[in-house]
Amino acid sequence: VKIPELQTLRASSARDRVEIVDQTRLPHARETVVLASAADAAHAIRAMQVRGAPLIGATAAYGLALALREDPSDAALAAAHALLVATRPTAVNLRWALDRVRARVSHLDLAARADAAWTEADAIAAEDVATNHALGKHGLRLIQRLAEERRSPVQILTHCNAGALATLGWGTATAPIYLAHIARIPVHVWVSETRPRLQGSRLTTWELRAHGVPHTLVVDAAGAALMRQRRIDLVLVGADRVTRNGDVCNKIGTYAKALAAHDNDVPMYAAVPSTTIDWALDSGDAVLIEERDAGEVLNPGGESIAPAGTSVVNLAFDVTPGRLLTGLITERGICAASASGLEGLFPEHAHG
Amino acid sequence: VKIPELQTLRASSARDRVEIVDQTRLPHARETVVLASAADAAHAIRAMQVRGAPLIGATAAYGLALALREDPSDAALAAAHALLVATRPTAVNLRWALDRVRARVSHLDLAARADAAWTEADAIAAEDVATNHALGKHGLRLIQRLAEERRSPVQILTHCNAGALATLGWGTATAPIYLAHIARIPVHVWVSETRPRLQGSRLTTWELRAHGVPHTLVVDAAGAALMRQRRIDLVLVGADRVTRNGDVCNKIGTYAKALAAHDNDVPMYAAVPSTTIDWALDSGDAVLIEERDAGEVLNPGGESIAPAGTSVVNLAFDVTPGRLLTGLITERGICAASASGLEGLFPEHAHG
């Protein structure tokens, strides 16, 4: 099977640099940027040249490896970890990947650290592809069933970009879609544009086009209307952080789509690699929601869309209560978006 | 009381032209356009130089009067009515105003028609201001109660522009807000930007600023998150068409906000002058939803936000079931968004 990946991140064989696709330039230009230090990696994450929880995690892991290449001391390790973990507050994969690399190297001799860190970052990247593929195979069954029961093509709504561009390959919400497309099950994807940064219109359309998957772009508010018009069979979204009770923190607009899916009996799932589950948080109400610059809202392209001086609040994420979701798709299978659902698939994380 | 109006439409005393504010140029320029014929009026409505159900109705009424000035024949009357009624399919005020002017003049001598039509258009415009003021006074009571019970300033979310710019004065959803502001009750308005045409960010911010009402701009999807964060006390929206059962057809995004208001026990009302009620339709499911150009979605300003050739569906409106709304605010008072609620206030329209 050809892996739907878009070379979002390529680690050099000399282990001294990482090349990324600058996602702020898509869809009109595909440009790459070289990261040669932890500072470069931190900038790429902060500026959202790389985005998507899994890709942020891998980029940060390589950033830590690059820092250790320059200075493998404990102080340098701590400083690079602190720098990178502070770049984005909401995605849990970021801290998970950084902690994993740090744990792998902190007991090693200084001379061995950089190489071990790089090897660990490589493992995180490879595991992401394998995890998404496994997750995709579970999600594929949902699409197969809809193709048999309902209609063809299966009409799938997605939001933001939980695609190949958000990962090292396959994407999360898109993995079932790409597998269905490869298996010649007809699918049509409704792409929600995802204001303010327009990751749906800028990125998801771009990668679906690159892979030949039919799709149609709509504004965010149209998702609910399309569901009421019975034009959507399935909603698939990603997640930036899932709490133990199955609450899903994801791009702003996910909660409204879940309310509409629930009101119209449209099945809706979040695609969740286990690296995105924050077992330390009991509920989504405890997740820190990133607020970003007013400029993202005021300037979707060219001139400002509001009078000069207009006050803006720019919430980047929202929390969807698990009760509104049909389930979570993980690399181990599909479960209810609840504590018992998650603990059934991940018994090693069950409370006491 | 100073009327919050923005000279959206000024009829000349010579009864030969109408001057409108070109709302496609706001917020960065306030330019006026002169309408001297029915064709001019039809273009202004189609191009959305004037928009908002009440303002569309008044503009069309003057358009019919201008047509009769040129040619008062039955054929010309029928042609102008047909031209104007086809400009926008969703707002019911358009047909209501055109039918009212036609009924007023069709039995008159040809020589008397143009003047009578103009007088009728003047009446429609004047009644709109009075209706909105009456509606506003009923809505004001809701805000007064929240100011006493909950907090100050009262946090009000609105969507699209159901403001002074959508009417001849006061606005519909904004009428209670302006009356509260005039009565020195502190209010803060959350303005939903309203993709694709951004009437929230382009128009509502502009007119709230013109009247000194504090406000903050957010993307459409943020409304639901703000309600979940308990940062909204009241949701006030307008309507393009309300059916007998209390279903509200309004700008795309209204339905999702109603779902969120309902899920979070936030009171939500549609402000509905009775001219917006379509007594001929039993349910919102029967309303024809206008689909508009892809360009509105693809070009929010400057360069396209999606790859060239991206397919788009652009639904301009959605239908909010009455069951999700706390009520409807009309010029006769506040009622449940249901057939019995509406028939209680408008017994003359109750079924036989």
Side-chain angles (χ1 to χ4, degrees), chain B residues 215-287:
Chain B
H215 57 279
T216 299
L217 178 66
V218 293
V219 300
D220 298 327
L226 290 170
M227 286 189 241
R228 195 152 193 278
Q229 293 179 345
R230 316 232 54 82
R231 292 162 80 174
I232 307 284
D233 299 316
L234 176 66
V235 184
L236 290 177
V237 296
D240 289 81
R241 189 182 292 234
V242 175
T243 52
R244 318 186 52 95
N245 67 341
D247 287 354
V248 172
C249 184
N250 191 43
K251 182 56 35 77
I252 189 85
T254 305
Y255 171 44
K257 282 179 182 55
L259 287 165
H262 196 257
D263 196 48
N264 292 288
D265 293 319
V266 176
M268 175 163 169
Y269 294 83
V272 180
S274 59
T275 51
T276 302
I277 304 169
D278 186 347
W279 297 102
L281 286 185
D282 285 334
S283 139
D285 297 331
V287 177

Side-chain angles (χ1 to χ4, degrees), chain A residues 248-328:
Chain A
V248 171
C249 183
N250 192 43
K251 181 56 36 80
I252 189 85
T254 305
Y255 170 45
K257 282 180 182 55
L259 287 166
H262 195 257
D263 196 49
N264 292 287
D265 293 319
V266 175
M268 174 163 170
Y269 294 84
V272 180
S274 59
T275 51
T276 303
I277 305 169
D278 186 346
W279 298 101
L281 286 185
D282 286 333
S283 143
D285 297 331
V287 176
L288 176 67
I289 301 293
E290 179 178 5
E291 297 200 12
R292 295 183 58 86
D293 276 0
E296 295 185 348
V297 174
L298 292 171
N299 297 290
E303 66 170 13
S304 171
I305 59 166
T310 296
S311 153
V312 170
V313 166
N314 181 9
L315 300 173
F317 302 94
D318 61 25
V319 175
T320 298
R323 68 180 151 84
L324 296 175
L325 296 170
T326 313
L328 304 175

Side-chain angles (χ1 to χ4, degrees), chain B residues 6-8 10 17-23 25 29-35 49:
Chain B
L6 299 159
Q7 303 194 307
T8 50
R10 287 199 300 175
R17 48 185 243 165
V18 168
E19 194 179 279
I20 57 158
V21 174
D22 180 353
Q23 300 196 24
R25 307 284 296 157
R30 187 188 182 285
E31 293 176 8
T32 56
V33 171
V34 170
L35 313 181
Q49 291 176 324

Side-chain angles (χ1 to χ4, degrees), chain A residues 27-28 190 193 195-196 198 201-202 205-206 209 215-222 224-226 228-229 231 247 252-253 255-256 259-260 263-264 285 289 291 297-298 300-313 315 317-319 321 323-324, chain B residues 27-28 190 193 195-196 198 201-202 205-206 209 215-222 224-226 228-229 231 247 252-253 255-256 259-260 263-264 285 289 291 297-298 300-313 315 317-319 321 323-324:
Chain A
H28 301 300
W190 294 89
E193 64 171 3
R195 283 279 287 148
L198 298 163
S201 55
R202 293 189 184 278
T205 56
W206 187 84
R209 171 173 290 256
H215 58 279
T216 299
L217 177 66
V218 291
V219 299
D220 298 327
L226 290 170
R228 194 150 194 278
Q229 294 179 345
R231 293 164 80 175
D247 287 353
I252 189 85
Y255 170 45
L259 287 166
D263 196 49
N264 292 287
D285 297 331
I289 301 293
E291 297 200 12
V297 174
L298 292 171
E303 66 170 13
S304 171
I305 59 166
T310 296
S311 153
V312 170
V313 166
L315 300 173
F317 302 94
D318 61 25
V319 175
R323 68 180 151 84
L324 296 175
Chain B
H28 300 302
W190 293 88
E193 64 172 3
R195 282 282 286 147
L198 298 163
S201 55
R202 292 190 184 279
T205 56
W206 187 84
R209 171 174 291 259
H215 57 279
T216 299
L217 178 66
V218 293
V219 300
D220 298 327
L226 290 170
R228 195 152 193 278
Q229 293 179 345
R231 292 162 80 174
D247 287 354
I252 189 85
Y255 171 44
L259 287 165
D263 196 48
N264 292 288
D285 297 331
I289 300 292
E291 296 200 12
V297 174
L298 292 171
E303 67 170 12
S304 170
I305 59 166
T310 296
S311 152
V312 170
V313 166
L315 300 173
F317 301 93
D318 61 25
V319 175
R323 69 181 151 85
L324 296 174

Side-chain angles (χ1 to χ4, degrees), chain A residues 92-167:
Chain A
V92 73
N93 306 54
L94 176 64
R95 177 175 289 278
W96 168 84
L98 288 168
D99 288 354
R100 175 168 159 179
V101 173
R102 183 174 60 184
R104 175 73 189 80
V105 304
S106 57
H107 66 285
L108 298 180
D109 289 344
L110 297 192
R113 285 181 169 182
D115 245 23
W118 196 274
T119 301
E120 198 67 18
D122 281 347
I124 287 170
E127 287 169 25
D128 181 54
V129 177
T131 296
N132 296 339
H133 185 239
L135 180 163
K137 286 196 289 187
H138 296 297
L140 172 61
R141 292 205 314 276
L142 299 173
I143 297 175
Q144 282 171 324
R145 209 176 307 150
L146 289 168
E148 289 158 15
E149 288 171 14
R150 294 205 189 176
R151 67 175 133 186
S152 178
V154 178
Q155 303 288 332
I156 302 170
L157 173 69
T158 190
H159 185 59
C160 195
N161 176 266
L165 284 170
T167 66

